[in-house]
Amino acid sequence: MSDEVIQQTKLWLGEHYNEGNGRSEFADKLKEECGVLGIFNVPDASTLSYYALHALQHRGEESAGICTVDTKEKNRFCYYRGLGLVKEVFDKEKLAELKGDRAIGHVRYPSSGEEDAASNIQPLIFRYRDGDLAVATNGSIINAGEIRTELEQQGSIFQTTSDTEVIAHLIARSSADFETAAKEALARLNGGFAVLIMTNDKLLAATDRHGFRPLVLGKVGSGFVFSSETCAFETIGATYVRDITPGELLILSDNELREERFAEAERQAMCAMEYIYFARPDSDINGINIHSARKRMGRMLAKESFVDADIVTGVPDSSISAAIGYAEQTGIPYELGLIKNKYTGRTFIQPSQQLREQGVKMKLSAVRKVVEGKRVVMIDDSIVRGTTSLRIVNLLREAGAIEVHVRITSPPFQNPCFYGIDTPERKDLIAARMTVEQIRREINADSLQFLTHQGCLDAVGSNEEVRNRGLCMACFDNDYPTEQQNEQMVTSNSK
Ligand code: SF4
């Protein structure tokens, strides 16, 4: 234990103590904003979408939607969307009404401060002069506000507050044919996004020109599938074909796949947090398996910041792989010191202050028999505001851990994201305000170390030839891949 006396462990009595309200109970954990899914020419596309969206549920737990094209009924659109988890929104009867062999689906987190979550549930559906249009996106369109103002001045009436709606308006207002209009619309967008656009006879898939957000193509039977992550492919028996590259536009029509571009690729910048935290361990992004990358992060962390201890444990679920890597590298046994209750789901019955004082915990528990009397290395993926880390360290102390050494599989998170991840302002990011030692005190840990920038890049192990190994690390290194955001941050830093 460090010389300094660790403050007496107290029960956490503040807000959001393990309440189990989806992921939002960890109020300072980052939130992915969406998962997208597209099916083309596969029978019973809605049921397949339902299962695939289940696999993408971790990317958005607030709402879900599926839109199908009924090719036997004049290619009409059928859709259903609702607030809640995929299993709460859909049942057998609803899926049976979504007829057809083409579909796009979506799971979503609302961004912070969003008031009208219900009208922003995707896919967004529109009717315009050439037929129906469904649009689903993952990510953020930075210049959506600007485009929206311009279009409103020209008479457009928006139905939602979603960035995604500008894509539909740009297409609908164009006098060009649909494909040209879609390309021109996508070319106007700045930001980090993966998008699916479905019409009565086509399905388009694209990612932004930096490739911030993942999107993959697979084959299922004689048809095709697009998904935010490959984990959905296993679920529905699809085989992986390839990742969509930055600035690329894939067009499915009849059963033909065309590979086109809407923009030249710029500096490749896949979001590093996908590898660190967001993506499911069984997914691969750009050929790299997430579980393996996280294990390497744990190994690297052990090399960079070894600490003698009795057990290593990981904060479930995202840090289990890294904890295994840390244990393998150090020889310190990996133990299940923390358990997540997977069945809390969304609950609106929160423990009262009195119940909290009695130690009622719903979402995460420490395993007393495992941690009691032990020196524990606790591996986590990131520290955003610091409140979650304090809570988890205290959980371990309450269960009898005699030392808690925190190791983080990413560098200090110091800058906000503009590319689709809902992050607090810089002033609320603990690493932007405090030194590592100050953070250690704040989270009540005996020691604290972060993975270095280089260690993180090496652990992911992507292409060495390109800058930052083709990753965006802006929230760690302030090097925003888009010029405008770089300038914006330089200006705000100099104020
Ligand atoms: S700023 Fe961070 S969270 Fe945002 S895209 Fe880049 S790496 Fe991902």
Side-chain angles (χ1 to χ4, degrees):
M1 182 171 314
S2 62
D3 294 342
E4 187 175 348
V5 179
I6 298 291
Q7 67 196 69
Q8 194 65 38
T9 304
K10 291 187 190 133
L11 289 173
W12 176 272
L13 301 177
E15 290 296 303
H16 307 294
Y17 184 70
N18 282 323
E19 296 90 338
N21 190 12
R23 265 197 185 178
S24 58
E25 87 286 10
F26 290 109
D28 74 336
K29 273 292 182 192
L30 296 174
K31 286 188 292 179
E32 180 62 74
E33 287 193 7
C34 300
V36 295
L37 190 270
I39 305 267
F40 199 83
N41 280 0
V42 187
D44 200 7
S46 62
T47 308
L48 219 58
S49 302
Y50 172 80
Y51 288 115
L53 288 177
H54 261 297
L56 298 176
Q57 186 77 80
H58 59 288
R59 299 185 74 86
E61 295 179 353
E62 288 296 322
S63 66
I66 297 173
C67 173
T68 60
V69 176
D70 187 354
T71 37
K72 293 197 179 113
E73 270 297 321
K74 299 183 185 158
N75 287 3
R76 76 183 173 102
F77 270 24
C78 315
Y79 58 91
Y80 191 81
R81 300 168 296 184
L83 288 170
L85 301 172
V86 177
K87 68 177 180 191
E88 295 165 341
V89 172
F90 295 99
D91 56 26
K92 217 169 154 192
E93 288 70 38
K94 285 183 188 117
L95 288 172
E97 283 167 23
L98 302 177
K99 297 189 192 319
D101 61 1
R102 297 175 200 163
I104 62 173
H106 195 262
V107 286
R108 166 169 204 272
Y109 274 116
S111 41
S112 56
E114 182 180 277
E115 281 166 9
D116 191 9
S119 72
N120 288 333
I121 301 175
Q122 295 189 32
L124 296 182
I125 317 281
F126 306 91
R127 190 156 181 81
Y128 79 122
R129 62 171 190 281
D130 290 340
D132 299 307
L133 203 60
V135 189
T137 61
N138 167 35
S140 172
I141 300 165
I142 298 169
N143 60 341
E146 207 176 286
I147 298 173
R148 187 186 177 105
T149 307
E150 178 194 310
L151 294 175
E152 282 175 338
Q153 279 165 355
Q154 292 166 14
S156 286
I157 298 170
F158 280 75
Q159 299 165 21
T160 72
T161 55
S162 165
D163 285 2
T164 308
E165 193 176 347
V166 299
I167 301 173
H169 282 264
L170 286 170
I171 293 172
R173 293 183 72 93
S174 170
S175 53
D177 64 88
F178 167 70
E179 286 184 19
T180 310
K183 274 188 202 167
E184 286 171 358
L186 293 169
R188 280 210 59 189
L189 310 178
N190 295 326
F193 56 85
V195 58
L196 296 178
I197 305 169
M198 188 170 72
T199 66
N200 302 95
D201 55 4
K202 289 181 180 156
L203 176 58
L204 277 58
T207 61
D208 69 83
R209 60 196 90 201
H210 295 272
F212 285 102
R213 308 258 72 94
L215 186 63
V216 281
L217 167 70
K219 279 285 285 174
V220 54
S222 56
F224 293 92
V225 53
F226 293 110
S227 171
S228 289
E229 289 184 37
T230 58
C231 61
F233 291 173
E234 281 299 322
T235 307
I236 60 169
T239 50
Y240 166 80
V241 175
R242 68 179 182 85
D243 289 61
I244 316 302
T245 62
E248 197 177 21
L249 174 67
L250 299 190
I251 303 170
L252 282 164
S253 144
D254 297 321
N255 205 20
E256 183 200 41
L257 173 72
R258 276 181 290 129
E259 301 171 347
E260 303 199 8
R261 305 203 67 79
F262 69 88
E264 282 312 309
E266 293 189 20
R267 170 188 160 189
Q268 192 177 11
M270 170 59 67
C271 170
M273 283 303 286
E274 293 282 354
Y275 292 98
I276 296 164
Y277 170 59
F278 297 128
R280 238 173 65 162
D282 52 337
S283 287
D284 302 336
I285 297 178
N286 289 332
I288 296 169
N289 172 252
I290 302 299
H291 164 72
S292 307
R294 288 183 190 157
K295 253 179 92 171
R296 288 194 292 273
M297 288 171 199
R299 283 182 167 276
M300 195 67 82
L301 201 46
K303 287 183 200 160
E304 289 182 354
S305 55
F306 172 79
V307 59
D308 195 17
D310 302 310
I311 61 167
V312 179
T313 195
V315 178
D317 295 324
S318 56
S319 303
I320 303 285
S321 306
I324 294 170
Y326 193 98
E328 280 180 4
Q329 185 66 36
T330 56
I332 301 170
Y334 167 77
E335 290 286 357
L336 217 54
L338 291 161
I339 291 280
K340 187 170 160 187
N341 181 356
K342 295 190 188 331
Y343 302 103
T344 47
R346 291 158 58 79
T347 171
F348 300 98
I349 305 166
Q350 311 291 348
S352 62
Q353 183 82 350
Q354 193 189 355
L355 286 174
R356 282 183 206 153
E357 284 170 30
Q358 286 168 16
V360 167
K361 304 169 187 77
M362 285 183 65
K363 190 76 170 180
L364 196 67
S365 302
V367 185
R368 182 172 293 275
K369 289 270 187 259
V370 172
V371 304
E372 198 163 31
K374 301 275 173 36
R375 296 169 299 161
V376 179
V377 181
M378 182 196 108
I379 311 287
D380 203 357
D381 49 73
S382 54
I383 299 182
V384 183
R385 287 189 172 92
T387 49
T388 293
S389 304
L390 170 61
R391 260 177 273 158
I392 302 173
V393 170
N394 278 354
L395 272 182
L396 291 166
R397 291 194 186 282
E398 286 163 26
I402 51 171
E403 290 179 20
V404 182
H405 300 276
V406 177
R407 296 292 180 271
I408 303 294
T409 59
S410 60
F413 196 106
Q414 295 178 315
N415 310 292
C417 176
F418 297 99
Y419 310 119
I421 304 305
D422 199 17
T423 45
E425 288 174 42
R426 183 178 259 165
K427 67 176 174 45
D428 296 320
L429 297 170
I430 193 168
R433 294 184 284 114
M434 292 186 185
T435 63
V436 173
E437 172 55 17
Q438 286 169 329
I439 301 171
R440 179 195 71 75
R441 287 168 191 242
E442 196 71 15
I443 65 169
N444 197 22
D446 290 274
S447 73
L448 167 67
Q449 295 283 337
F450 292 84
L451 186 60
T452 59
H453 187 274
Q454 190 60 45
C456 189
L457 293 180
D458 291 346
V460 173
S462 42
N463 189 355
E464 265 180 288
E465 308 294 310
V466 295
R467 185 163 159 192
N468 258 4
R469 285 180 175 262
L471 299 177
C472 172
M473 296 276 283
C475 46
F476 311 117
D477 63 11
N478 203 18
D479 176 16
Y480 289 87
T482 50
E483 223 161 88
Q484 208 186 358
Q485 276 54 56
N486 247 337
E487 282 164 17
Q488 192 176 326
M489 292 313 286
V490 169
T491 317
S492 72
N493 290 343
S494 60
K495 277 183 187 162

